[in-house]
Amino acid sequence: MDSRPRLYLCTAFLCGVLLTLGFKDIYPDLERRFRRRRVPISSIAGAGLATKDQIDLEDRTKKIKEEDTHDVEIREGIEACVGNTPLFRIKSLSEETGCDILGKAEFLNGAGGSPKDRVALNMIKTAEEEGLLTPHSGDTIYEGTVGSTGISLATICRARGYLAHICMPSDQATEKSDLLLKLGAVVDRVPPAPIIDPMHFVNRARNLAADHTADPTRPGRGYFADQFENQANWQAHFEGTGPEIYQQCGGRLDAFVAGAGTGGTIAGVARFLKSKLPNLRVVLADPQGSGLFNRIKNGVMFDTLEKEGTRRRSQVDTIVEGIGINRVTANFEAGRELIDDAIKVNDEEALAMARWLAEKDGIFVGSSSAVNCVAAVRLARLSGPGQRIVTILCDSGNRHLSKFWTHAGDIGGKTDSKLNDILGN
């Protein structure tokens, strides 16, 4: 019994010696096998480098150096997304005419998606400064509009603590009033009427605002924005749109083309640009049925479709919405003397231009933008190659689906339209 532990110890010692000698003999072969298996992996990882080469991996998780960081501008509210819209070259029109025809993409304004964002914001700010509006007090802003100003007002009203009550003609595209309702505005769609009628959409808005203010049972006051006569309208474009165009063009442009509804855009931009470029040509684009063409050409508000002083009909006899008018407004008169010429555009030309822009450039615009582009092309052809002409792309065709684009129709797979077919020459 006493000899067994010694026997076990000797046996274990001998086994250890044998195992060590055996491993020593087979280790080199194991090492060679292991190295051969690693060669393809290292070749892939090293993108073709030999296994003896060192591969340096960049650590992209390192923190950015403190000196490379800076404060990023964070804008305050949707109002801060108004303005500074892009200016771009409309390729097809530029190539066809030999001129640079540039579109100011006002449909990219961040509140209501049109140049009326600038106007709505400036009218509200001005009224606040004058003590006519107080945020979150129950004050309601009333306005008569064919749609775009109302959408901009409804959006910015909510952003700044007001309610919006919009009066608009019932013949305007229904998607505009639908959007206004989604934005929380009260919407009155009234039958089209001449300006002398108390039920004209502008007169109704004015009267409702006065009634609100006079009613002691209602919270807040009623404020009539009055976009047609409010000087804050053209001033918004004098302070914003005009300087942006001048800067984006590097101070080099030959003409500015725009339509007029209230007249604020063309007046404000003209007043700024002409102060910098006295030889600049400012040209009005006017749809059929509007009297502004004759106001510029002949100094009198008259259209062949109607006799002055006998109007008992809707505002303008055209499918185009947003521009064209048959009365003088304070905003248009603020820049009228700076307008050098006017170009009349009929509905067929506007519809054809809208289809052209979608077909050739992938630009989907509304009716007023199409009118502006027709006028820009006509001016380019009259002026000759080499001119730089800026016009306004007011809003997206999305707001004109049920009316204007229903008449325009689908472009389908068409790719062979001719510009001469649009202009009829």
Side-chain angles (χ1 to χ4, degrees), residues 3 29 46 78 87 105 138 150-151 184 193 196 236 238 267 271 279 289 377 404:
S3 62
D29 182 65
I78 194 68
L87 182 73
I151 293 167
I196 59 175
F238 178 83
R271 287 179 70 139
N279 295 325
V377 169
F404 180 77

Side-chain angles (χ1 to χ4, degrees), residues 208-368:
L208 287 172
D211 292 343
H212 183 156
T213 301
D215 188 348
T217 65
R218 299 186 65 181
R221 296 164 292 181
Y223 173 73
F224 176 49
D226 198 13
Q227 60 167 327
F228 290 91
E229 311 300 325
N230 193 328
Q231 300 288 305
N233 183 337
W234 70 260
Q235 289 168 357
H237 297 290
F238 178 83
E239 297 168 0
T241 318
E244 289 173 25
I245 291 172
Y246 183 77
Q247 182 180 25
Q248 289 167 329
C249 287
R252 190 180 73 80
L253 65 156
D254 301 293
F256 174 70
V257 177
T262 65
T265 301
I266 195 167
V269 172
R271 287 179 70 139
F272 179 84
L273 291 181
K274 286 268 192 175
S275 70
K276 300 290 186 181
L277 303 166
N279 295 325
L280 176 81
R281 294 190 69 196
V282 176
V283 178
L284 171 74
D286 207 34
Q288 69 178 52
S290 172
L292 295 179
F293 174 85
N294 283 294
R295 181 68 171 168
I296 297 301
K297 289 287 194 179
N298 306 312
V300 61
M301 186 70 72
F302 175 74
D303 185 81
T304 55
L305 297 177
E306 55 184 334
K307 293 182 180 179
E308 190 170 21
T310 63
R311 290 189 293 273
R312 297 295 307 180
R313 51 181 295 283
S314 59
Q315 184 182 1
V316 177
D317 187 16
T318 177
I319 197 174
V320 173
E321 298 180 2
I323 58 174
I325 196 170
N326 279 309
R327 70 178 192 274
V328 175
T329 68
N331 277 285
F332 185 77
E333 290 300 295
R336 180 174 64 87
E337 293 184 356
L338 300 175
I339 300 174
D340 302 291
D341 202 357
I343 295 174
K344 180 69 75 174
V345 178
N346 63 43
D347 284 356
E348 289 72 24
E349 291 170 331
L351 290 166
M353 178 57 75
R355 289 193 296 267
W356 169 279
L357 291 171
E359 175 189 332
K360 303 295 185 181
D361 298 277
I363 302 172
F364 187 56
V365 294
S367 54
S368 56

